[in-house]
Amino acid sequence: QVQLVESGGGLVQAGDSLRLSCAASGRTFSINAMGWYRQAPGKQRELVAGISTGGRTNYVDSVKGRFTISRDNAKNTLYLQMYSLKPEDTAVYYCNTVPGWRLSWGQGTRVTVSS
């Protein structure tokens, strides 16, 4: 069974940067499009960035130009580089497949952006 382990979150100030990582066990990673989701307090989980097996990316409008998703299939690892963080980016961030999550959720990594 594939396990997803997210890391890299933390408490930062508005305008700072963070790099999130998602380590996946098993061989499923390289054959799946992957994405980063986030869930802010009191809100539904939303997909913020996705990347195909070939490296094509897409983003939700609110993070375009500030977030960059990438993957290293040799390391079974997904990344999310976040720049110019805003308080509204505060959430727990998770990785999973796209479209639609088909793996068990990891514990997520919490990002808190103070103003």
Side-chain angles (χ1 to χ4, degrees):
Q1 185 172 349
V2 176
Q3 287 188 316
L4 302 170
V5 180
E6 300 92 349
S7 62
L11 172 62
V12 298
Q13 293 186 332
D16 285 350
S17 301
L18 276 176
R19 188 193 196 202
L20 307 183
S21 299
C22 166
S25 64
R27 291 178 288 180
T28 300
F29 179 84
S30 63
I31 64 173
N32 278 287
M34 297 293 295
W36 282 98
Y37 299 75
R38 69 184 179 187
Q39 186 165 19
K43 296 187 178 181
Q44 289 188 331
R45 197 168 299 186
E46 66 168 342
L47 175 65
V48 296
I51 184 167
S52 70
T53 55
R56 186 170 57 198
T57 60
N58 56 76
Y59 303 90
V60 68
D61 285 347
S62 60
V63 308
K64 280 182 181 177
R66 300 189 299 119
F67 289 11
T68 301
I69 188 172
S70 61
R71 65 191 299 162
D72 186 334
N73 289 336
K75 296 182 179 180
N76 281 357
T77 303
L78 184 72
Y79 301 100
L80 186 68
Q81 179 68 56
M82 305 186 294
Y83 299 100
S84 302
L85 283 161
K86 303 176 180 181
E88 51 263 44
D89 295 319
T90 294
V92 179
Y93 286 72
Y94 304 86
C95 62
N96 213 310
T97 56
V98 294
W101 53 87
R102 288 175 275 112
L103 301 175
S104 297
W105 292 103
Q107 83 289 347
T109 186
R110 185 176 299 275
V111 174
T112 303
V113 185
S114 63
S115 58

